[in-house]
Amino acid sequence: MLDWAIFIVAIFICIALFLNLWRLMVGPKLSDRILALDTMYINTIALIMLYGIYMGTALYFEAALLIAMLGFVSTAALCKYLLRGDIIE
């Protein structure tokens, strides 16, 4: 039963990833594209955690944590660049 639930949720997350990719490519503004990229990070983390639950190992949770930190830093840097024009002052 848990395997089917993981499979169905993974399909929905993959659909969300494709919709985020569409928003990243077509987004009318740069802020929409940054938001789509941040959402892609979150969906990727969810997909990796689902795979970790399916495999029954904690190794994938650590990888998801690393991707979360990289996603936060990159989103903050892109937003700072968008607001001020440079990242390091």
Side-chain angles (χ1 to χ4, degrees):
M1 185 69 182
L2 183 63
D3 293 339
W4 279 102
I6 290 173
F7 180 72
I8 291 170
V9 171
I11 288 173
F12 284 124
I13 290 174
C14 288
I15 291 170
L17 274 171
F18 282 116
L19 291 174
N20 290 330
L21 184 65
W22 177 75
R23 177 55 69 187
L24 185 67
M25 297 292 177
V26 181
K29 297 178 184 174
L30 186 60
S31 59
D32 292 332
R33 292 180 177 171
I34 291 173
L35 184 62
L37 185 66
D38 190 47
T39 309
M40 283 181 77
Y41 279 121
I42 292 170
N43 286 334
T44 304
I45 291 166
L47 202 58
I48 290 172
M49 290 185 74
L50 277 177
Y51 188 68
I53 291 171
Y54 180 73
M55 296 299 288
T57 179
L59 180 67
Y60 296 102
F61 299 130
E62 294 175 6
L65 183 64
L66 285 175
I67 291 173
M69 288 190 311
L70 289 174
F72 173 74
V73 170
S74 67
T75 301
L78 283 172
C79 289
K80 189 173 180 181
Y81 179 75
L82 184 66
L83 289 175
R84 298 184 182 170
D86 61 350
I87 297 173
I88 299 173
E89 296 179 38

